[in-house]
């Protein structure tokens, strides 16, 4: 049983030159893709902000466990008990990865979106929610049953804190309140002042949840040090396959609310009512542990993959991972700065600390067309559009849409002009060659244009056959 509960021993990490550090092995690192101009090339996956490739280490851990797969929590057999131990030990691993406080609960969900919708479902009556318009839709949209204040996009970290303080100070009535904020923008990659925002929230009697979907894969996240009440993230952005996520933090609101989903696993005891007006119904005693919001058969493989990824990142050493990522960020930003037609999008300015997520537009190009050419002619996968952060991207782009080209943005209706950007994102598994190829491709496309013809098909810009 311990073979699956304990990660493979990793070599001790030491300080390294980020320019020489090797990327962590990921699945798909040797996959080749065809080019429309002929031949094949190793695929450059530069869309980590959407889904990071799974670490090879995670895949190997899951493969080792797979023959022992069994039901969780309610089975008497050996494989069921092993799987239950694996599942619950994964909960401990995630709590340690997040540096949770005593008494905090780790609830396993399907994704960051699911985690934040779960938190929205357990808000106490009359709770007010404060969220910046700059958030990803996963943290912008779940609060439909609460009184929501959408805060304008700040242009500096200090302005973000001041904006929140004013909004909290002015709230009426003075009841329960929740602040939702990202740790790192999925559009600009910029780091937000989470610790300062948490202090502001608590000073005004509010709680705070951290959307760490883009932060946790790149930087250590300490619930204790940041002093956030909850943190949410997704496995598929943390180099883990399958559909699992995490909501970790204070237990009280979770314990006091009705279960997010009603069903087996969430209930401790169910009895039929006898006698009286309610005869024939059922009485339910719900769990007060994390199981209260984990009804149904849990995704044990997805949960184990998250725990494996947590261990792998910690053993690799975040200091080394951050140093190497800064090296890659510098390569990309310096390369793009050499192309006058490129405008990098930013809220907080060029000097703001950030993770490996960079969005930009190119003068004279529709972003969908540019992204399609990167893929078809260079084997580079990036993202184009509004990145599930429509208000933020529209704020950053201003009111002037891109000129209508042969290829329109997926979000543009037929005949509309396009308003979209290009996003390149990378992380622990990205080799230098991928970002170097990307910078070279941007320069060549801007200087020489695309080598192929493209058209819009089913809302996407694709090469013309």
């Amino acid at each position: 049983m311990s073979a699956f509960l304990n990660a493979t021993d990793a070599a001790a990490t030491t300080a390294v030159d980020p320019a020489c550090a090797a990327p962590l092995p990921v699945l798909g690192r040797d996959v080749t893709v065809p080019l429309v101009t002929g031949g094949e090339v190793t695929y450059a996956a530069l869309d980590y902000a959407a889904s990071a490739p799974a670490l090879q280490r995670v895949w190997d851990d899951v493969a080792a466990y797979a023959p022992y797969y069994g039901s969780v929590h309610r089975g008497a057999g050996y494989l069921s008990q092993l799987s239950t131990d694996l599942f619950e030990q994964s909960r401990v691993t995630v709590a340690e990865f997040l540096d949770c406080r005593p008494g905090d609960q780790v609830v396993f969900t399907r994704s960051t979106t699911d985690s934040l919708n779960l938190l929205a479902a357990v808000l106490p009556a009359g709770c007010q929610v404060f969220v910046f318009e700059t958030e990803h839709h996963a943290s912008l949209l779940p609060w439909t049953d609460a009184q929501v204040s959408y805060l304008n996009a700040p242009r500096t970290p200090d302005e973000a804190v001041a904006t929140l303080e004013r909004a909290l100070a002015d709230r009426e009535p003075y009841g329960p309140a929740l602040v939702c904020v990202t740790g790192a923008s999925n559009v600009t990659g910029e780091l937000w002042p989470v610790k300062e925002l948490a202090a502001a929230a608590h000073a005004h009697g509010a709680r705070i949840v951290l959307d760490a979907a883009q932060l946790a894969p790149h930087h250590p996240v300490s619930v204790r040090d940041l002093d956030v009440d909850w943190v949410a993230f997704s496995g598929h952005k943390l180099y883990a396959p399958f559909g699992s996520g995490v909501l970790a933090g204070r237990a009280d609101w979770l314990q006091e609310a009705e279960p997010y989903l009603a069903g087996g696993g969430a209930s401790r005891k169910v009895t039929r009512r006898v006698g009286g007006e309610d005869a024939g119904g059922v009485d339910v005693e719900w769990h007060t542990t994390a199981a209260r919001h984990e009804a149904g058969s849990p995704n044990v493989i997805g949960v184990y993959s998250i725990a494996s990824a947590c261990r792998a990142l910690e053993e690799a050493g975040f200091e080394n991972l951050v140093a190497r990522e800064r090296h890659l960020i510098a390569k990309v930003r310096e390369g793009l700065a050499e192309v006058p037609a490129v405008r990098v999008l930013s809220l907080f300015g060029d000097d703001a600390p950030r993770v490996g997520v960079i969005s930009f537009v190119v003068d004279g190009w529709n972003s969908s067309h540019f992204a399609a050419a990167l893929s078809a002619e260079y084997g580079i996968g990036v993202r184009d559009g509004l990145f599930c952060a429509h208000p933020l991207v529209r704020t950053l782009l201003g009111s002037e849409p891109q000129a209508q080209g042969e290829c329109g943005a997926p979000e543009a209706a037929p005949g509309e002009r396009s308003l979209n950007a290009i996003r390149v994102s990378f992380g622990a598994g990205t080799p230098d060659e991928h970002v170097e190829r990307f910078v070279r491709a941007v320069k060549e496309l801007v200087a020489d244009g695309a080598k192929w013809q493209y058209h819009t098909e089913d809302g996407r810009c694709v090469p013309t056959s």
Side-chain angles (χ1 to χ4, degrees):
M1 198 175 293
S2 61
F4 305 110
L5 300 183
N6 298 316
T8 306
D9 289 338
T13 58
T14 55
V16 295
D17 178 354
C20 302
L24 297 184
V26 295
L27 293 180
R29 60 190 179 275
D30 298 323
V31 168
T32 59
V33 295
L35 303 179
V36 292
T37 51
E40 293 186 340
V41 67
T42 303
Y43 183 64
L46 296 179
D47 194 16
Y48 275 48
S51 282
L55 291 173
Q56 184 68 54
R57 150 72 177 279
V58 173
W59 194 259
D60 291 344
D61 282 352
V62 169
Y65 161 66
Y68 300 88
Y69 175 84
S71 63
V72 176
H73 291 146
R74 295 176 291 281
Y78 178 83
L79 298 191
S80 178
Q81 293 187 42
L82 184 149
S83 296
T84 298
D85 286 350
L86 189 84
F87 186 84
E88 292 303 330
Q89 183 58 43
S90 295
R91 203 186 303 276
V92 174
T93 298
V94 171
E96 292 173 348
F97 178 76
L98 295 173
D99 190 25
C100 288
R101 300 157 297 229
D104 282 345
Q105 286 188 349
V106 173
V107 180
F108 289 117
T109 65
R110 294 176 293 180
S111 60
T112 308
T113 302
D114 195 36
S115 296
L116 293 171
N117 274 270
L118 163 56
L119 187 58
V122 305
L123 295 180
C127 186
Q128 295 177 266
V129 175
F130 296 82
V131 56
F132 286 93
E133 66 172 351
T134 48
E135 292 292 309
H136 185 281
H137 294 172
S139 48
L140 187 71
L141 303 180
W143 321 105
T144 53
D145 293 332
Q147 178 184 336
V148 186
S149 295
Y150 296 102
L151 309 180
N152 292 335
R155 287 299 183 168
T156 67
D158 287 345
E159 185 183 341
V161 177
T163 298
L164 178 63
E165 287 181 329
R166 285 194 301 271
L168 290 172
D170 293 342
R171 81 182 194 271
E172 291 182 3
Y174 192 87
L178 177 71
V179 176
C180 181
V181 67
T182 188
S185 171
N186 77 303
V187 176
T188 67
E190 292 164 317
L191 299 178
W192 277 63
V194 176
K195 191 168 185 176
E196 292 80 3
L197 290 167
H202 294 153
H204 291 277
R207 299 189 183 189
I208 186 168
V209 57
L210 168 64
D211 175 352
Q214 300 296 340
L215 182 64
H218 303 275
H219 282 266
V221 174
S222 170
V223 170
R224 195 188 311 258
D225 181 59
L226 294 173
D227 197 23
V228 294
D229 297 280
W230 293 277
V231 60
F233 69 88
S234 293
H236 72 100
K237 298 186 192 296
L238 195 78
Y239 310 102
F242 313 112
S244 279
V246 168
L247 176 67
R250 295 179 62 159
D252 53 352
W253 285 6
L254 295 169
Q255 292 175 346
E256 293 162 7
E258 290 295 303
Y260 182 46
L261 296 173
S267 55
R268 291 185 59 186
K269 182 181 179 181
V270 181
T271 57
R272 288 294 300 274
R273 297 192 192 114
V274 294
E277 295 181 359
D278 296 329
V282 294
D283 289 316
V284 184
E285 181 183 335
W286 303 106
H287 280 294
T288 58
T289 63
R292 185 183 189 89
H293 298 289
E294 294 176 343
S297 297
N299 181 1
V300 59
I301 289 183
V303 165
Y304 181 45
S305 69
I306 288 180
S308 174
C310 291
R311 288 192 295 265
L313 292 175
E314 287 189 322
E315 290 167 4
F318 267 110
E319 183 177 350
N320 293 331
L321 296 175
V322 169
R324 185 170 188 283
E325 185 169 298
R326 285 175 178 161
H327 161 73
L328 296 178
I329 292 170
K331 272 181 176 286
V332 173
R333 289 180 59 82
E334 290 166 7
L336 293 180
E338 295 172 357
V339 186
V342 169
R343 177 165 70 94
V344 174
L345 305 183
S346 175
L347 266 179
F348 299 154
D350 289 343
D351 296 332
R354 66 195 70 229
V355 300
V357 179
I358 298 169
S359 295
F360 62 98
V361 292
V362 184
D363 291 344
W365 281 84
N366 179 282
S367 293
S368 295
H369 187 188
F370 200 90
L374 286 172
S375 174
E377 300 178 27
Y378 295 91
I380 298 170
V382 297
R383 179 72 47 130
D384 66 276
L386 300 177
F387 318 127
C388 289
H390 294 189
L392 171 57
V393 180
R394 293 181 186 279
T395 295
L396 295 173
L397 291 179
S399 59
E400 294 186 7
Q402 300 175 43
Q404 178 66 36
E406 188 173 1
C407 285
E411 292 81 5
E416 287 186 358
R417 300 173 73 197
S418 301
L419 186 69
N420 62 330
I422 306 153
R423 183 181 70 191
V424 56
S425 52
F426 40 88
T430 304
D432 282 50
E433 189 276 328
H434 287 186
V435 299
E436 290 165 356
R437 192 196 320 171
F438 165 76
V439 170
R440 183 174 69 253
V442 170
K443 292 179 178 179
E444 290 179 1
L445 286 171
V446 171
D448 305 326
K451 301 181 180 68
W452 208 258
Q453 294 295 315
Y454 297 82
H455 68 279
T456 301
E457 184 177 295
D458 295 329
R460 293 298 311 170
C461 190
V462 297
T464 299
S465 8

